[in-house]
Amino acid sequence: MTERIEEFRALVSSAIKSGQNGKIKACKSTLREIYAEIKSDPFLLWDDTYVSQVGKAIIMMIHWDLIEDEDENIGLAHLAYLFISKAIEKEESLKPESDKCELFRLRKDRIIIMKSFDDFFVESLQNFYFADHKASDLDTYNEQRKAVLSRLPFMQFSDIYLIEQDYPNLRDDEFLLELANMIEHEQEFTNENLKEAFLLHKILYKHTYEQLKEGELVY
């Protein structure tokens, strides 16, 4: 492990610890250093187990309005999604030795991103969901946007579904139980919805990765 990676891991750990302890000023100061680092090299911890913690730190950046520009915040939400999804993919590949507690934490963090910043993901999802049917007028655009928004709860619920396979009562987590009940109450959830949600996660992950790799992700 290089010295730079060690320093970055320590920085991320410090920010999360400060945030959890209510030391907001110290946390924001560290988050700004983290932001500068990911601007310089977003893939620094890509293959490191701490990649999900970078995603968590980014969530804190958005929650505390560290960055004022809306487009950059949208990009940061995608970056957090990408890093946490990468960690999920890595942990799932360890089956049957994957850590259920870690997968619970990671999937819950991804649900939080998709729930808290759902509007940030609409345009990306709309671009490839309707790739062959680009909106030619405002009414069509709004209808497509409405259709994509209706899929976002299913993407959240797909992670809840996977958590439920390991923890039938979602570990009595109030946030997850409430969200699951709300989604099930508002919309019927079918196997087809589940399959589509899994596919949308795969496409969003790949789309965001390619954007970041090509330097096209604004954040």
Side-chain angles (χ1 to χ4, degrees):
M1 184 181 297
T2 67
E3 184 178 347
R4 188 180 176 196
I5 288 176
E6 288 178 346
E7 289 175 353
F8 191 40
R9 281 175 61 119
L11 206 61
V12 172
S13 181
S14 174
I16 292 172
K17 186 177 179 180
S18 293
Q20 291 173 340
N21 291 333
K23 299 177 180 178
I24 309 303
K25 186 177 180 180
C27 182
K28 283 187 173 182
S29 176
T30 310
L31 287 174
R32 288 188 180 91
E33 294 183 63
I34 293 170
Y35 179 69
E37 192 64 65
I38 60 175
K39 288 284 284 185
S40 171
D41 183 4
F43 289 107
L44 183 58
L45 293 184
W46 181 250
D47 293 312
D48 192 272
T49 55
Y50 238 61
V51 67
S52 68
Q53 297 297 85
V54 184
K56 197 176 188 73
I58 293 172
I59 294 173
M60 295 164 72
M61 290 180 197
I62 306 172
H63 271 306
W64 288 333
D65 299 318
L66 197 75
I67 307 300
E68 294 183 2
D69 186 87
E70 185 177 355
D71 288 338
E72 290 179 354
N73 276 306
I74 290 172
L76 283 172
H78 281 71
L79 200 58
Y81 172 89
L82 180 67
F83 288 161
I84 291 171
S85 295
K86 167 66 174 180
I88 290 173
E89 181 184 73
K90 190 170 185 177
E91 191 63 42
E92 285 179 334
S93 71
L94 300 176
K95 289 181 179 179
E97 289 80 22
S98 56
D99 186 332
K100 290 182 180 180
C101 289
E102 180 66 2
L103 277 173
F104 173 86
R105 182 186 71 78
L106 293 170
R107 286 174 178 147
K108 181 179 177 180
D109 280 348
R110 187 161 73 172
I111 292 166
I112 289 171
I113 294 170
M114 300 301 287
K115 174 62 179 172
S116 301
F117 315 116
D118 55 354
D119 200 49
F120 286 0
F121 294 97
V122 174
E123 187 172 345
S124 292
L125 291 168
Q126 191 170 342
N127 283 340
F128 54 73
Y129 198 89
F130 293 102
D132 298 326
H133 304 281
K134 294 289 185 181
S136 56
D137 56 76
L138 185 59
D139 287 342
T140 304
Y141 174 84
N142 288 334
E143 283 300 315
Q144 289 183 356
R145 183 178 176 83
K146 184 178 177 182
V148 168
L149 277 168
S150 73
R151 265 66 177 186
L152 281 161
F154 295 146
M155 293 179 74
Q156 297 159 27
F157 199 85
S158 66
D159 273 325
I160 291 174
Y161 171 84
L162 291 173
I163 290 172
E164 210 167 24
Q165 306 313 299
D166 294 328
Y167 301 101
N169 201 43
L170 303 176
R171 289 179 69 176
D172 296 320
D173 186 287
E174 290 185 12
F175 167 74
L176 294 177
L177 288 168
E178 184 178 334
L179 181 60
N181 288 334
M182 183 181 72
I183 293 172
E184 288 180 312
H185 177 72
E186 292 181 354
Q187 294 175 287
E188 183 181 356
F189 193 79
T190 66
N191 285 334
E192 288 304 311
N193 295 142
L194 186 64
K195 289 177 184 177
E196 183 181 62
F198 287 148
L199 179 60
L200 287 174
H201 271 302
K202 288 181 180 178
I203 295 172
L204 181 59
Y205 175 86
K206 183 178 179 181
H207 171 76
T208 307
Y209 173 77
E210 290 299 327
Q211 276 196 313
L212 183 63
K213 185 179 175 183
E214 298 300 322
E216 297 171 356
L217 186 68
V218 177
Y219 63 91

